[in-house]
Amino acid sequence: MLLCNISRVEKVCKMLKVQPLLSIIITCYNYEMYIGECIRSVLSQNYDNLEIIVVDDGSTDQSWQKIQEFGDKIVAVRTENRGQLKTSLTGLSLSHGDFVYFLDADDVLGEGALAHIEPYLRPGVSKIQFMLLPIDQTGKSIGNAFPALQPSDDSGPLIRSIRARGYYDTPPTSGNIYRRDVYEGLGEMTYERGIDGVSYLLAPFVGRVVSIDKTLGKYRIHNANQSSFSVLTSKRMKGYVDRFMGRLHHLDELVQARCATIDKLEVRNDYAYVMELKTMSLVVDGKRPSIGQISAYIRAVRREHTGKKRLALCLFAVALFVLPNAIAKQLAAIRIDPSRSRQMRSRLKQAFSV
C-alpha cells in the first residue's frame, strides 16, 4: 500500500547526515513529586539537537517552583489551568522540532533512550513507538514492560488493524515520538482530552511507524493518575465510546484531506471495543445484558480477534451475562483498570493465608 506525504527531504538528510531537532514537551499539573526527575531524565540524554519545553497547567502545589530550578536549561511557561489538551497545544506552539515528543510529567525517559531512537528520526518516519516499564510512585517496577511490540517499520498491518478494529496497539503518550506534521492541521478536537488520540491513528497513513521492542521509558502508576478509573459509571463508558468514535470520524476526514491515494475509511458502529463498553455500561447500571447484546458483542469479537484473545473476550462476554451483577461489575472494573486484578489477587492471598 502506498503511503502519502513521504518527504523528499529524506534523501537530503541522508546525504548531509543532519541530526533532526527534537522537541520534548513536558506538561505538568500538580506533579511536584515527579517533575524534577522527569526533567532530569531528559537533560541526561546523549542527544545534541534538543529543545525542552515545560508547560505548567496552573499547578496549585510546588510544581512551578520545581520547574524554575532548571533555569535556562529548559523553556518554562506557566498558564492558567486549562486541561491537558490545551496545555499540550501551547507546548506545541512554542516548539520548533522536526519531531515532537510529549512526555508526561510523572513519567521518565530511560537512560540512553534518545541515542537508541536517533537512527529512526527520518522524514519518512511518522512515528516511533517503544515499550514502557510500569513503576509505582517510588520508582519501583510493578510489572512487565508494555505493550509487547515486535520490531517493525511497516505501517500496513497498523492500517489494516484500524480498518478492522478501530485501533492498533500503542503505548501511552510517553512511549511515542511523532514527526511534527502529524500534529499540525488537526483542527478542532472537542471530543478529545489529550493531543495524541487521533494522531496515533493518523501516523500510519502519512508515513512509516517504527516499533522498537525495547523498554526506553518508565510509566508511573499512582493514586493521582488512577483516579480516572476509580468510579465506574455508565456515563464514563459513554464518554469512552464517544471519544473512540470521535477519533475515527476525525481520522476519516484527515485521511481524505491528506491521502488522496488511500481508500476512504469506513467507520462502523459495531467495533468490538464499542460493543464491549455498551455491554459493560448495562452491567454498571445494575442491568443484565440481553442475549442479543451479548451475541452482538461476541460476533464483533470473533470478527476482529483470533486465538487466545478471542477466547478470553468471548468468555468475558458470557461472564457478564451469567454472573451475579456484583461480580460482573468487578470483572468490568478489572477490564477497564487491570491494576485492580493485582489488588484482588492480594486480597485473596491474604484471605487464604489466615
Side-chain angles (χ1 to χ4, degrees), residues 141-198:
S141 172
I142 54 175
N144 297 324
F146 71 99
L149 297 175
Q150 298 298 318
S152 171
D153 65 352
D154 182 5
S155 292
L158 306 185
I159 292 175
R160 289 192 289 274
S161 181
I162 293 169
R163 292 188 183 280
R165 304 183 182 95
Y167 69 93
Y168 65 89
D169 291 336
T170 189
T173 301
S174 297
N176 305 280
I177 295 177
Y178 290 86
R179 195 178 63 213
R180 183 181 193 85
D181 67 283
V182 179
Y183 281 129
E184 294 179 330
L186 294 179
E188 292 295 323
M189 293 183 284
T190 55
Y191 60 87
E192 192 59 87
R193 292 183 177 179
I195 194 170
D196 56 352
V198 74

Side-chain angles (χ1 to χ4, degrees), residues 115-156:
H116 191 91
I117 290 167
E118 180 181 355
Y120 304 106
L121 296 176
R122 306 186 302 270
V125 173
S126 56
K127 177 189 172 193
I128 301 105
Q129 57 180 19
F130 49 87
M131 298 165 64
L132 299 172
L133 181 71
I135 58 174
D136 65 12
Q137 61 183 15
T138 68
K140 180 182 178 182
S141 172
I142 54 175
N144 297 324
F146 71 99
L149 297 175
Q150 298 298 318
S152 171
D153 65 352
D154 182 5
S155 292

Side-chain angles (χ1 to χ4, degrees), residues 11 24 47 49 82 86 102 105 118 120 124-125 134 139 169 194 199 219 232 255-256 266 273 297 312 319 354:
K11 295 180 180 179
I24 297 186
Y47 191 90
N49 202 10
R82 298 173 301 157
K86 290 184 178 180
F102 283 95
E118 180 181 355
Y120 304 106
V125 173
D169 291 336
S199 303
Y219 178 79
L232 206 62
V255 169
Q256 290 187 63
E266 295 182 7
Y273 178 78
Y297 175 24
V354 175

Side-chain angles (χ1 to χ4, degrees), residues 290-342:
S290 67
I291 293 178
Q293 179 76 31
I294 294 297
S295 298
Y297 175 24
I298 290 176
R299 282 196 302 272
V301 168
R302 289 175 59 83
R303 181 180 62 244
E304 298 177 16
H305 299 285
T306 60
K308 293 181 179 179
K309 187 166 187 178
R310 173 194 279 184
L311 177 60
L313 290 176
C314 286
L315 290 174
F316 175 68
V318 173
L320 292 179
F321 179 69
V322 301
L323 291 177
N325 185 258
I327 300 177
K329 280 185 180 180
Q330 290 185 17
L331 286 177
I334 291 171
R335 177 66 176 147
I336 292 295
D337 177 12
S339 68
R340 294 173 187 255
S341 63
R342 292 194 296 271

Side-chain angles (χ1 to χ4, degrees), residues 19-38:
Q19 190 181 50
L21 176 62
L22 174 61
S23 300
I24 297 186
I25 301 171
I26 302 172
T27 58
C28 178
Y29 177 69
N30 285 353
Y31 276 161
E32 63 178 353
M33 291 178 58
Y34 312 118
I35 183 61
E37 181 183 4
C38 177

Side-chain angles (χ1 to χ4, degrees), residues 70-115:
F70 292 91
D72 60 5
K73 295 178 181 178
I74 63 175
V75 175
V77 177
R78 193 181 194 197
T79 68
E80 62 181 355
N81 181 246
R82 298 173 301 157
Q84 187 177 15
L85 176 58
K86 290 184 178 180
T87 303
S88 297
L89 289 171
T90 295
L92 183 65
S93 70
L94 296 171
S95 70
H96 307 87
D98 305 293
F99 286 83
V100 179
Y101 175 40
F102 283 95
L103 177 62
D104 288 339
D106 54 340
D107 294 340
V108 180
L109 186 58
E111 183 178 353
L114 295 187

